């Protein structure tokens, strides 16, 4: 199976080499060579045309989705980051869609459609971290993984079906052989991920972003998973070896091999954390609000701490922290929340919702008089708010 | 063997109606969502056999993707609104005895975001109301799920009665369907009693 998958990859690479491609314009250093790249690539085979047709259809849905973040500037900025990571010539054929989905993910389809989820934007602490994930996804695209993955799955499932039929005719149990083949599907997926990781690292190393960043991304994600588990009184379980049916290598494994490979590459330069913070500032409150509603106290606190460690506790971060504690809602949390609301105000948070939420925290904690004062301040600042009638009724009772 | 099969199929035939979708006729309807909730619909609804939780009941006219009334009947403190699909990795927020009435829309939103992959949700208006003589909150909202990306609107009324949460929601696609049936829901909601 492994030999088969290698063959498929070599085949894909060979077919790319025959397409009259332009030589790479960057990455001349040994060890950083990138695959040849062609502009306006058109699918060649019936399989590839099928994969592209499905991708085109999915892209239409994505383009018109209400979940797309349409504010001017965000998708353009993401493109800038991708272009800096993989080079201007390569990124020219990509369409990027920013989607409001709080998970940590980005993905790319065979036809050059990339989607980036808000959860990834929230968790990244610098352009380099975001670029590491975008570069990894671009590597899947460049290596034609959608196509080879599809072909490998079809081969394997065909084989499973035929062997099953043969077993039924011969009245013998073929489940062991079928299992071995099925396992190959997942192992093939993991091999693709590793290939994309290592090519992504080569992009990172030749982009000017630090080569050590891709490994950091996985370390930070593991830290969040651990914090999340601890917040739910569960054991953390980072593993080195992927399970039987895992489609990806484990985060621990990835962070280690990426760090080892990065150590052999040029160190790179600025991670552009300041530029990233500035670009994300308009979206941060919205992304944080969505994260807080996921009922993951430990994970969310980790995200807040990790952003604050890089940029300090901004008014938005303090407000979000207050919201996180108020949402958990134990008496001690309500007390801490009130304190963070006040710190957010002292730091310059000016939105009227601060008074409302502070008031609600105090009211729920039995501090009725203080709570009413805050709610009245909210009503004075936002008398026409959608919830003003309800808040007025709360104050009156 | 044959007799056993016949017996089994007869047994299934008797059991089937209880687990199938059923018609809700006009007239008084007690013990909705296995709770103190009752209503007197003036027209017909369909009750889905699907159970999202012990005290959850879903009514619809044309299918729950097009118009859906959900009754949450007396969810006690410490319990989530609906049954958790993944307690370990996606635990839902729980009803708490000390919650304020304004925490009801927040609880609904958080539950939807976690359980139903709702990635956009806005609560638009919140105003005081009464539910069978109890202090209640009436609120409206908009949301979109990750899987179908359809813009939906919702309207709900909820109250805490004896420390338990009673909540009724109406949801439908914002395009055409919400307006088509919202009055039918409001007529139904006006007959709610506890």
């Amino acid at each position: 199976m492994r030999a088969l998958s290698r063959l498929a990859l070599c085949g894909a690479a060979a077919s790319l080499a025959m397409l009259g491609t332009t030589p790479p314009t960057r990455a001349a250093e040994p060890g950083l060579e990138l695959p040849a790249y062609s502009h306006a690539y058109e699918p060649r085979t019936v399989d590839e045309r099928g994969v592209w047709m499905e991708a085109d259809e999915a892209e239409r849905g994505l383009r018109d989705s209400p979940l797309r973040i349409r504010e001017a500037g965000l998708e353009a900025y993401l493109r800038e980051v991708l272009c800096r990571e993989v080079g201007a010539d390569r990124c020219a054929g990509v369409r990027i869609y920013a989607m409001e989905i709080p998970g940590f993910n980005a993905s790319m389809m065979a036809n050059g459609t990339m989607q980036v989820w808000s959860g990834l934007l929230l968790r990244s602490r610098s352009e380099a971290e975001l670029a590491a994930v975008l570069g990894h996804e671009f590597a899947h695209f460049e290596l034609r993984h959608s196509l080879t993955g599809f072909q490998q799955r079809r081969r394997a499932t065909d084989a499973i079906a035929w062997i099953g039929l043969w077993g039924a005719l011969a009245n013998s149990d073929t489940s062991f052989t079928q299992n071995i083949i099925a396992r190959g599907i997942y192992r093939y997926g993991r091999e693709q991920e590793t290939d994309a990781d290592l090519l992504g690292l080569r992009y990172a190393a030749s982009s000017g972003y630090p080569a050590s960043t891709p490994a950091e991304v996985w370390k930070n994600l593991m830290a969040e998973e651990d914090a999340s588990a601890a917040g739910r009184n569960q054991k953390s379980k980072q593993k080195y070896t992927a399970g039987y049916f895992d489609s990806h290598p484990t985060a621990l494994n990835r962070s280690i091999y990426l760090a080892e490979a990065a150590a052999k590459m040029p160190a790179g330069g600025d991670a552009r954390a300041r530029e990233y913070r500035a670009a994300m500032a308009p979206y941060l409150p919205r992304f944080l609000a969505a994260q807080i509603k996921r009922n993951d106290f430990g994970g969310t606190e980790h995200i807040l701490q990790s952003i604050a460690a890089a940029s300090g506790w901004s008014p938005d971060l303090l407000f979000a922290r207050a919201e996180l504690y108020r949402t958990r809602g134990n008496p001690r949390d309500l007390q801490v929340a009130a304190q963070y609301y006040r710190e957010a105000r002292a730091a310059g948070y000016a939105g009227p919702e601060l008074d409302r939420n502070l008031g609600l925290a105090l009211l729920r904690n039995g501090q009725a008089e203080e709570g009413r004062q805050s709610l009245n301040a909210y009503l004075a600042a936002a008398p026409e708010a959608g919830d003003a009638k309800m808040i007025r009724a709360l104050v009156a009772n | 063997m044959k007799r056993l099969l016949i017996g089994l199929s007869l047994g299934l035939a008797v059991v089937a109606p209880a687990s199938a979708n059923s018609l809700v006729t006009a007239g008084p309807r007690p013990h909705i969502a296995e709770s103190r909730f009752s209503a007197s619909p003036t027209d017909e609804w369909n009750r889905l056999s699907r159970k999202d939780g012990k005290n959850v009941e879903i009514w619809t006219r044309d299918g729950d993707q097009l118009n859906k009334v959900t009754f949450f009947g007396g969810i006690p403190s410490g319990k989530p609104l609906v049954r958790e699909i993944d307690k370990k990795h996606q635990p839902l927020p729980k009803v708490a005895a000390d919650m304020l009435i304004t925490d009801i829309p927040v609880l609904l939103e958080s539950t939807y975001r976690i359980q139903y992959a709702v990635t956009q949700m806005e609560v638009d208006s919140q105003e005081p109301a009464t539910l069978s003589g109890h202090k209640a909150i009436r609120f409206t909202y908009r949301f979109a799920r990750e899987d179908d990306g359809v813009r939906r609107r919702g309207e709900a009324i909820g109250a805490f009665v004896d420390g338990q949460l009673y909540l009724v929601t109406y949801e439908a696609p914002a395009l055409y369907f919400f307006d088509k049936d919202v009055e039918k829901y409001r007529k139904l909601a006006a007959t709610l009693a506890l």
Side-chain angles (χ1 to χ4, degrees), chain A residues 66-67 100-102 117 232 234 237 290 293-295 326 329 360 363-364 386-387 389-391 393-394 397, chain B residues 88-89 91-93 96 98 100-103 109-110 113-114 119-120 124-128 137 146 149 151:
Chain A
L67 304 182
E100 188 158 0
I101 303 176
W117 290 8
R232 289 170 176 160
Q234 295 164 0
K237 42 171 199 174
K293 287 165 188 149
R294 298 181 86 195
N295 196 28
R326 182 172 75 92
L360 293 174
L363 213 56
R364 189 169 169 189
D387 58 357
K389 285 182 191 161
M390 189 66 236
I391 299 293
L394 268 187
N397 288 311
Chain B
K88 193 167 177 194
H89 300 106
L92 295 175
D98 66 343
L100 302 174
I101 205 163
T102 48
D103 288 323
E109 177 177 350
S110 187
R113 281 179 181 267
I114 297 163
T119 66
Q120 273 179 353
D124 291 323
S125 69
Q126 304 181 41
E127 54 183 54
I137 181 171
E146 187 193 327
R151 289 186 175 88

Side-chain angles (χ1 to χ4, degrees), chain A residues 71-85 91 96 98 116 121 124-131 134 209 271-283:
Chain A
E71 278 93 333
L74 181 60
E75 287 173 351
Y77 172 72
L78 297 178
R79 165 175 294 283
E80 267 176 46
V81 175
L82 177 69
C83 290
R84 195 172 278 122
E85 171 83 355
C91 80
I96 299 187
V116 180
L121 300 176
S124 300
R125 293 165 299 183
S126 63
E127 265 183 27
E129 288 197 354
L130 172 64
L134 301 190
Y209 290 129
R272 290 175 57 89
R274 206 150 37 90
E275 289 83 350
Y276 184 75
R277 278 200 300 279
M280 286 304 126
Y283 310 100

Side-chain angles (χ1 to χ4, degrees), chain A residues 174-191:
Chain A
T174 56
S175 58
F176 182 73
T177 320
Q178 287 171 308
N179 268 335
I180 296 282
I181 297 174
R183 183 181 187 179
I185 296 179
Y186 298 96
R187 195 181 56 211
Y188 185 79
R190 296 199 292 273
E191 282 174 3

Side-chain angles (χ1 to χ4, degrees), chain B residues 39-41 45 59 69 71 183-192:
Chain B
S40 298
W45 291 79
W59 292 10
V69 173
F71 300 88
E183 281 310 323
K184 295 185 186 93
Y185 155 74
R186 285 180 187 149
K187 259 165 63 186
L188 171 68
T191 68
L192 283 169

Side-chain angles (χ1 to χ4, degrees), chain A residues 62 82 94-99 101 104-117 120 133-134 136-141 146 193 248:
Chain A
L62 213 54
L82 177 69
V94 179
R95 280 91 52 220
I96 299 187
Y97 300 94
M99 306 300 288
I101 303 176
F104 174 93
N105 204 6
S107 63
M108 198 154 176
M109 295 190 284
N111 67 348
T113 309
M114 179 180 267
Q115 55 170 315
V116 180
W117 290 8
L120 169 62
V133 178
L134 301 190
H136 166 91
E137 294 306 324
F138 188 85
H140 277 306
F141 166 68
S146 305
E193 290 300 323
H248 287 59

